[in-house]
Amino acid sequence: MQTSIAAALTEADDLSRALPPRAALAEWLVRLTWQLRIWHDLPYCLATAHHDATSPMNSTTDPLLTRTGSLLDAAKASGQAIKSTTADEVYELVLALSWAVDRFHDDEAAARRRVTMGTAGIFATA
């Protein structure tokens, strides 16, 4: 799991360098959702750990929250994400979407559609 998370964090950094802020955040949310679905019930375990400061999983997964926050902050700064949205809310949404992707046996295209629909409210329309 640590290897996969390290690879995901590198991918987030690559996205932030290669894409505009909104596109980088949107693609990160799709890729993170897809990545987390590979371990059955991992999204549930991460959601539980997220609200337990003593969970041993936090040291491994907190960087995912941090990176999500960085990408979200960049999108907010560019005026392309709703200012009141928090990194915690977005991370929790990704966990919920990942659970759904797993449970409904989405392929990559279906997962991308699910995440795009589910995260649409994060992005500013004006």
Side-chain angles (χ1 to χ4, degrees):
M1 187 164 93
Q2 288 178 329
T3 301
S4 293
I5 289 173
L9 296 171
T10 298
E11 193 170 28
D13 293 340
D14 293 344
L15 290 170
S16 69
R17 285 189 295 274
L19 298 173
R22 183 197 189 285
L25 176 60
E27 187 61 25
W28 167 248
L29 298 177
V30 169
R31 292 181 187 191
L32 183 58
T33 298
W34 183 250
Q35 182 67 29
L36 293 178
R37 65 89 185 74
I38 63 174
W39 293 288
H40 187 63
D41 286 332
L42 180 63
Y44 173 79
C45 294
L46 294 179
T48 302
H50 183 61
H51 292 286
D52 177 2
T54 65
S55 173
M57 291 187 74
N58 287 338
S59 63
T60 303
T61 60
D62 279 353
L64 297 173
L65 173 61
T66 300
R67 199 67 93 249
T68 299
S70 297
L71 291 165
L72 177 62
D73 288 345
K76 286 180 184 182
S78 71
Q80 298 175 320
I82 304 297
K83 297 273 186 205
S84 61
T85 304
T86 69
D88 279 321
E89 292 169 330
V90 174
Y91 182 70
E92 290 169 0
L93 179 59
V94 164
L95 294 176
L97 289 167
S98 185
W99 179 87
V101 165
D102 176 51
R103 290 296 187 244
F104 293 111
H105 307 287
D106 290 355
D107 61 16
E108 286 188 64
R112 182 171 289 279
R113 282 191 304 277
R114 185 180 305 280
V115 174
T116 300
M117 288 186 299
T119 60
I122 294 169
F123 301 104
T125 58

